[in-house]
């Protein structure tokens, strides 16, 4: 465990020195929430939520979308070791494979949960978000989402030969999930076939879980299907990572 903590501290040091990626995925959704809240008031009225003012869609949507942009923290950490030619040193060290993987992914998982909590608190402070349901149910979704994001990041590391390719796939897949998963527009207001496709995206289950708690007053039992779906996606991504990941394969950073 001490070796895992050492890796976590190492990556945390890098993040403190170069905080721009983390700051971006925190500030950008904050600005978007402020601007899109008024646009969602009408959408909520169409869905039958007369008491809502738009914050109940803006915060969950932006949280679900930008959580998957956090995958870059894992891929950058992994490919940076290859770019600095320090990966083989880690492989030759006493570190076990699972310690290396957990050490590289653990920080991201914790930061996803922290990011989600930060955006919900900020939504409460700045745009008047009110959570009608259980705060613990929100935490359950956040933790399941963090596990899903981390497993997706590990799968990207496993299948991508370079950081550049991992970045491209991450952005393309995340934006596709965002559109089809209802993070920007509720799936109930889109074509019926999109609602069917949405169920095959983790963003749909994350945003849906958040909305259940915020709008419908859901408790832990109500969000178990959403958390279970996120964990199922995580299991698929983890299986892909275990299948394709080889510790001895050389990778490229940005060049």
């Amino acid at each position: 465990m001490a070796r895992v903590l050492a890796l976590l501290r190492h990556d945390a040091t890098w993040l403190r020195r170069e905080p721009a990626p983390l700051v971006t995925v925190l500030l950008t959704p904050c600005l978007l929430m402020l601007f899109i809240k008024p646009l969602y008031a009408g959408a909520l009225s169409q869905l039958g939520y007369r008491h809502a003012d738009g914050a109940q869609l803006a915060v969950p949507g932006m949280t679900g979308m930008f959580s998957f942009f956090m995958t870059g923290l894992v891929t950058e950490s992994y490919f940076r070791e290859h770019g600095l030619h320090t990966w083989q040193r880690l492989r030759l060290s006493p570190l076990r494979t699972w310690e290396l993987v957990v050490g590289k992914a653990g920080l991201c998982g914790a930061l996803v949960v922290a990011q989600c909590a930060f955006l919900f608190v900020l939504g409460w402070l700045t745009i008047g978000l009110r959570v009608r349901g259980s705060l613990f149910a929100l935490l359950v979704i956040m933790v399941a989402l963090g596990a899903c994001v981390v497993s997706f990041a590990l799968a990207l590391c496993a299948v991508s030969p370079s950081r550049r390719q991992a970045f491209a796939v991450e952005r393309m897949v995340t934006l596709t999930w965002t559109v089809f998963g209802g993070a920007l527009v509720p799936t109930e207001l889109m074509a019926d076939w999109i609602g069917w496709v949405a169920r095959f995206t983790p963003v749909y289950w994350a945003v849906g879980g958040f909305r259940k708690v915020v709008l419908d007053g859901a408790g832990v039992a109500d969000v178990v299907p959403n958390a279970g779906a996120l964990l199922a996606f995580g299991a698929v991504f983890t299986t892909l990572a275990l299948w394709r990941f080889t510790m001895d394969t050389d990778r490229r950073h940005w060049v």
Side-chain angles (χ1 to χ4, degrees), residues 147-161:
C148 185
V149 170
V150 166
S151 60
F152 176 57
L154 293 176
L156 281 179
C157 293
V159 301
S160 304

Side-chain angles (χ1 to χ4, degrees), residues 75-234:
T75 54
E76 172 61 24
S77 174
Y78 171 67
F79 287 102
R80 182 176 59 235
E81 300 290 355
H82 287 276
L84 297 174
H85 306 291
T86 53
W87 180 255
Q88 289 304 318
R89 295 183 186 178
L90 290 175
R91 290 292 297 120
L92 295 174
S93 70
L95 280 168
R96 298 181 180 91
T97 299
W98 72 266
E99 291 175 324
L100 190 52
V101 172
V102 172
K104 286 296 179 185
L107 181 63
C108 176
L111 287 176
V112 169
V113 176
Q115 178 202 39
C116 293
F118 172 78
L119 292 177
F120 269 83
V121 170
L122 194 68
W124 168 59
L125 291 174
T126 60
I127 60 176
L129 175 69
R130 294 293 180 268
V131 178
R132 300 182 63 199
S134 166
L135 293 179
F136 188 70
L138 275 183
L139 180 61
V140 168
I141 294 295
M142 291 176 186
V143 172
L145 179 58
C148 185
V149 170
V150 166
S151 60
F152 176 57
L154 293 176
L156 281 179
C157 293
V159 301
S160 304
S162 68
R163 175 72 175 94
R164 188 185 302 275
Q165 181 171 323
F167 177 83
V169 173
E170 169 204 326
R171 289 298 190 266
M172 179 184 68
V173 171
T174 297
L175 291 175
T176 301
W177 285 345
T178 296
V179 172
F180 284 95
L184 298 178
V185 179
T187 55
E188 297 91 334
L189 301 181
M190 295 191 282
D192 292 340
W193 67 270
I194 293 181
W196 183 81
V197 172
R199 289 169 169 78
F200 295 93
T201 70
V203 170
Y204 169 83
W205 297 99
V207 173
F210 289 142
R211 288 177 182 168
K212 281 183 182 179
V213 178
V214 172
L215 284 168
D216 302 325
V220 174
D222 301 306
V223 300
V224 166
N226 299 77
L230 288 169
L231 294 176
F233 275 105

